[in-house]
């Protein structure tokens, strides 16, 4: 059965902390502008009206999760311990000094069983984005995207090798584009390859099978996730975020994020700033088709180059002729099946 504290009960409980809480804390500022009743109406449908014993106030649970994320606490268990002894946190929750903090397992089951996944939070996130956009705090001139590695709570020494049989098919659209370029330069068209079955080996964690092995910050590898984030560059609002396994690079996720933002705001941004990890031909083609001008950082090649003849210093004379800084001409030879021009 759904139970919730009224605003009068919350204000009465807060009177106990008038001389103890910090009025300059960011949680106090959030409480003044947050519409808790609107959030309560959205949570109401996940609770039965008459069945069972009275539940913990769902607004309390949401507030505890807000405290965890704003303060950067590592776990819900640790957050509950901090809320138990911090007066500002208790003021934010609006509970009396004699009331016990909900157990951490209650919050975990609230996330996994009661709400049943991330759809509720995504809808709430998009709703607030629309409100912020309506107030004019978002700029659609320039966005920025990047990925951040999140370490998984799994032992990197416990590994399990999994073999998966996958079907590899050649992209007909890419092959058509490559053959057109080859035909323009007097080369024969490449014949399409038949689909073939290959066996891929993947290293998984028996503790956290959803994560993937990453060597981005550890040469020996560690199990992690990637958070793919798109930010508005005017006021640095996060406008899109998605968490995937660490073997999913950002250039495979960005186009779907931009399409979801187009559905939310009704348009793409004019420009987007990306780092060298997004240097990918398919991504560039997708951005060009969406008429989004992109700034992509230069990816330094792994091979050693002559100091006076770096690839970035080559001058393009035409489509089939390049000239190095020393004046040596390089003529077009062929285009491979993978799209590389030699």
């Amino acid at each position: 059965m759904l139970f919730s504290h009224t605003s009068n009960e919350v204000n009465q409980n807060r009177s106990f902390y008038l001389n103890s809480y910090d009025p300059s804390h960011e949680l106090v500022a959030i409480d003044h502008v947050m519409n808790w009743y609107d959030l309560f109406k959205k949570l109401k449908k996940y609770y039965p009206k008459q069945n069972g014993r009275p539940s913990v106030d769902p607004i309390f649970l949401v507030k505890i999760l807000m405290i965890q994320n704003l303060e950067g606490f590592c776990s819900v268990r640790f957050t509950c311990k901090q809320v138990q002894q911090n007066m500002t946190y208790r003021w934010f929750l609006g509970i009396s000094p004699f009331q016990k903090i909900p157990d951490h397992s209650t919050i975990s089951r609230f996330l996994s069983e009661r709400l049943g996944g991330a759809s509720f939070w995504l809808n709430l996130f998009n709703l607030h984005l629309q409100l912020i956009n309506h107030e004019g705090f978002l700029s659609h001139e320039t966005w920025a995207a990047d990925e951040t590695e999140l370490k998984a709570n799994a032992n990197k020494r416990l590994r399990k090798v999994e073999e998966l049989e996958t079907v590899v098919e050649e992209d007909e659209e890419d092959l058509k584009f490559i053959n057109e370029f080859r035909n323009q330069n007097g080369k024969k068209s490449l014949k399409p390859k038949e689909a073939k079955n290959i066996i891929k080996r993947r290293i998984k964690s028996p503790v956290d099978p959803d994560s993937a092995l990453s060597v981005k910050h550890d040469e020996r590898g560690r199990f992690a996730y990637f958070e793919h984030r798109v930010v508005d560059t005017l006021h640095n609002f996060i406008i899109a975020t998605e968490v995937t396994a660490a073997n999913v690079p950002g250039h495979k996720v960005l186009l779907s994020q931009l399409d979801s933002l187009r559905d939310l705001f009704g348009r793409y941004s004019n420009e987007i700033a990306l780092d060298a990890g997004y240097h990918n031909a398919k991504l560039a083609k997708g951005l060009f088709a969406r008429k989004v001008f992109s700034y992509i950082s230069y990816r330094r090649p792994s091979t050693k180059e002559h100091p006076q003849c770096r690839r970035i210093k080559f001058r393009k004379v035409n489509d089939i002729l390049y000239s190095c800084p020393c004046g040596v001409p390089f003529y077009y030879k062929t285009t491979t099946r993978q799209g590389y021009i030699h």
Side-chain angles (χ1 to χ4, degrees):
M1 184 173 62
L2 178 61
F3 169 77
S4 177
H5 290 79
T6 63
S7 58
N8 292 332
E9 291 174 332
V10 172
N11 292 330
Q12 184 178 0
N13 292 332
R14 286 178 173 175
S15 63
F16 292 101
Y17 310 105
L18 289 180
N19 299 323
S20 304
Y21 82 105
D22 180 12
S24 62
H25 200 280
E26 57 184 358
L27 291 172
V28 180
I30 290 175
D31 184 77
H32 292 330
V33 299
M34 188 69 182
N35 188 349
W36 298 113
Y37 181 70
D38 185 62
L39 178 61
F40 173 75
K41 290 192 297 183
K42 290 180 172 56
L43 291 167
K44 193 175 181 179
K45 64 179 181 179
Y46 295 96
Y47 288 83
K49 295 181 179 179
Q50 303 295 335
N51 300 336
R53 60 182 180 180
S55 65
V56 179
D57 191 342
I59 299 297
F60 283 5
L61 304 181
V62 174
K63 288 182 177 181
I64 292 175
L65 292 171
M66 290 181 65
I67 292 172
Q68 178 191 357
N69 287 275
L70 287 172
E71 298 292 353
F73 294 147
C74 57
S75 66
V76 178
R77 186 194 298 266
F78 181 77
T79 305
C80 292
K81 291 181 180 179
Q82 296 299 313
V83 173
Q84 184 70 34
Q85 59 191 6
N86 190 296
M87 296 299 179
T88 304
Y89 296 160
R90 297 184 73 93
W91 180 94
F92 179 64
L93 295 182
I95 59 178
S96 68
F98 315 103
Q99 187 173 346
K100 186 179 178 182
I101 301 299
D103 189 73
H104 64 90
S105 61
T106 303
I107 302 175
S108 299
R109 297 187 67 178
F110 169 74
L111 291 172
S112 60
E113 299 180 11
R114 180 71 68 181
L115 299 183
S119 59
F120 171 79
W121 303 107
L122 181 60
N123 295 333
L124 184 65
F125 178 74
N126 291 336
L127 174 64
H128 285 85
L129 275 182
Q130 289 177 329
L131 295 176
I132 294 171
N133 184 48
H134 181 70
E135 295 293 333
F137 289 104
L138 293 182
S139 171
H140 301 289
E141 293 297 323
T142 305
W143 294 344
D146 199 1
E147 60 185 31
T148 304
E149 183 179 297
L150 305 176
K151 185 178 180 299
N153 189 16
N155 191 341
K156 64 182 180 181
R157 295 178 179 85
L158 297 178
R159 303 183 181 186
K160 180 176 65 174
V161 180
E162 185 181 61
E163 293 185 352
L164 298 174
E165 185 177 355
T166 59
V167 179
V168 178
E169 297 181 354
E170 195 170 31
D171 194 327
E172 296 181 359
E173 185 177 353
D174 291 346
L175 184 61
K176 179 181 178 181
F177 181 77
I178 292 171
N179 285 334
E180 288 178 356
F181 190 81
R182 287 175 60 92
N183 294 334
Q184 291 175 3
N185 296 280
K187 300 293 181 180
K188 295 182 180 179
S189 299
L190 297 173
K191 296 182 179 179
K193 283 187 175 182
E194 297 182 357
K196 60 179 180 180
N197 297 334
I198 62 172
I199 296 177
K200 288 187 176 182
R201 296 173 68 254
R202 180 186 174 189
I203 300 176
K204 297 182 64 176
S205 169
V207 180
D208 191 353
D210 294 331
S211 62
L213 196 67
S214 172
V215 293
K216 189 173 183 179
H217 299 291
D218 192 343
E219 294 181 356
R220 294 177 294 180
R222 67 180 185 184
F223 292 103
Y225 295 90
F226 277 162
E227 184 205 0
H228 310 277
R229 180 181 297 183
V230 182
V231 180
D232 162 61
T233 57
L234 180 62
H235 293 106
N236 296 329
F237 279 106
I238 300 172
I239 57 178
T241 179
E242 183 176 348
V243 178
T244 63
N247 59 352
V248 181
H251 60 79
K252 291 187 176 181
V253 182
L254 181 60
L255 292 179
S256 62
Q257 288 181 312
L258 293 180
D259 291 338
S260 63
L261 290 175
R262 190 270 316 273
D263 297 336
L264 186 65
F265 299 134
R267 55 165 297 179
Y268 296 108
S269 66
N270 295 336
E271 303 170 347
I272 187 167
L274 307 170
D275 66 359
Y278 291 85
H279 194 278
N280 180 265
K282 285 191 175 181
L283 174 63
K285 184 179 179 182
L287 293 174
F288 183 79
R290 290 163 177 79
K291 297 181 180 179
V292 179
F293 186 84
S294 59
Y295 301 91
I296 303 179
S297 301
Y298 168 69
R299 172 178 283 181
R300 189 178 299 277
S302 58
T303 57
K304 293 184 179 180
E305 298 178 334
H306 191 275
Q308 295 181 356
C309 296
R310 294 190 180 275
R311 299 180 189 179
I312 55 173
K313 297 181 180 180
F314 273 60
R315 185 170 59 89
K316 182 178 179 181
V317 181
N318 51 50
D319 288 341
I320 60 173
L321 177 61
Y322 282 78
S323 175
C324 80
C326 298
V328 179
F330 287 83
Y331 295 96
Y332 171 80
K333 183 177 180 181
T334 187
T335 305
T336 64
R337 189 179 292 273
Q338 291 74 27
Y340 293 103
I341 297 176
H342 293 264

